[in-house]
Amino acid sequence: MCGNNMSTPLPAIVPAARKATAAVIFLHGLGDTGHGWAEAFAGIRSSHIKYICPHAPVRPVTLNMNMAMPSWFDIIGLSPDSQEDESGIKQAAENIKALIDQEVKNGIPSNRIILGGFSQGPIGGANRDISILQCHGDCDPLVPLMFGSLTVEKLKTLVNPANVTFKTYEGMMHSSCQQEMMDVKQFIDKLLPPID
């Protein structure tokens, strides 16, 4: 990934099948890597879109007894009032901005880049007009559905509420499912149609 952390490997990339006119940057969850998500996007890809799945740096995570694992930032606790790793979140945002800047240098306009992620991976933006798709399993034991509902309500105060879509998946735990991936594909294809 971009930035000053030389120990972080290069992102897993699913190249566009033809000239890339858009990009999706997708962040994995805690303890994961970008490889599995790259494989998932390879299964639903559109030929004009480049999919970039960076790998988080390995760092100690307070929540997991300081065990070192891939993590975008430290997680101190899971309750809504838990302290947050502000400096880690800012560093992760800088690294993602560097990826965006690189894609812009590669010729992809910033309005043709989608940011997304799983669990720890989702990130926010300052543009009130952005579209957001938030997906959540109704049986998630790690991040309860209530947290997803609280997040979507907060998002609606930060961006145009009409641009926020919240989908739940019956029986899905802290994972992904085929229907969710098809909904993600539909969302991406709507926002990033072919332009040539």
Side-chain angles (χ1 to χ4, degrees):
M1 194 160 91
C2 299
N4 294 327
N5 187 344
M6 299 307 257
S7 65
T8 304
L10 293 173
I13 295 176
V14 179
R18 55 190 173 109
K19 181 179 186 263
T21 59
V24 171
I25 299 171
F26 193 88
L27 308 181
H28 62 76
L30 179 67
D32 201 359
T33 68
H35 294 296
W37 289 104
E39 186 177 315
F41 281 109
I44 63 165
R45 77 183 193 176
S46 296
S47 63
H48 64 286
I49 300 174
K50 176 181 180 182
Y51 300 86
I52 304 158
C53 300
H55 310 291
V58 174
R59 66 181 59 188
V61 176
T62 303
L63 180 70
N64 289 346
M65 298 177 291
N66 285 320
M67 186 173 13
M69 62 186 58
S71 182
W72 299 107
F73 48 86
D74 191 16
I75 300 175
I76 291 106
L78 292 179
S79 67
D81 60 347
S82 291
Q83 181 183 346
E84 292 186 343
D85 175 17
E86 190 174 331
S87 66
I89 293 169
K90 285 181 179 177
Q91 181 61 54
E94 287 175 23
N95 290 342
I96 299 312
K97 184 174 181 331
L99 280 174
I100 294 168
D101 291 345
Q102 184 59 51
E103 291 311 304
V104 170
K105 285 180 188 169
N106 290 343
I108 297 176
S110 62
N111 68 338
R112 302 268 306 156
I113 298 173
I114 289 178
L115 302 177
F118 177 82
S119 191
Q120 186 190 24
I123 56 178
N127 182 349
R128 283 195 51 81
D129 293 324
I130 65 170
S131 294
I132 295 174
L133 171 64
Q134 181 182 336
C135 302
H136 207 109
D138 68 355
C139 292
D140 189 333
L142 197 60
V143 181
L145 182 57
M146 176 191 73
F147 287 4
S149 298
L150 291 171
T151 300
V152 83
E153 291 310 312
K154 178 66 175 176
L155 287 170
K156 287 179 178 179
T157 68
L158 300 173
V159 302
N160 180 344
N163 294 346
V164 178
T165 302
F166 185 49
K167 291 188 175 262
T168 58
Y169 300 88
E170 185 177 348
M172 189 171 83
M173 297 183 75
H174 194 70
S175 61
S176 182
C177 67
Q178 187 61 34
Q179 183 58 54
E180 179 187 29
M181 292 306 295
M182 295 313 297
D183 289 341
V184 167
K185 177 178 175 42
Q186 183 179 26
F187 178 80
I188 291 170
D189 288 347
K190 179 181 175 186
L191 293 177
L192 301 175
I195 56 173
D196 52 357

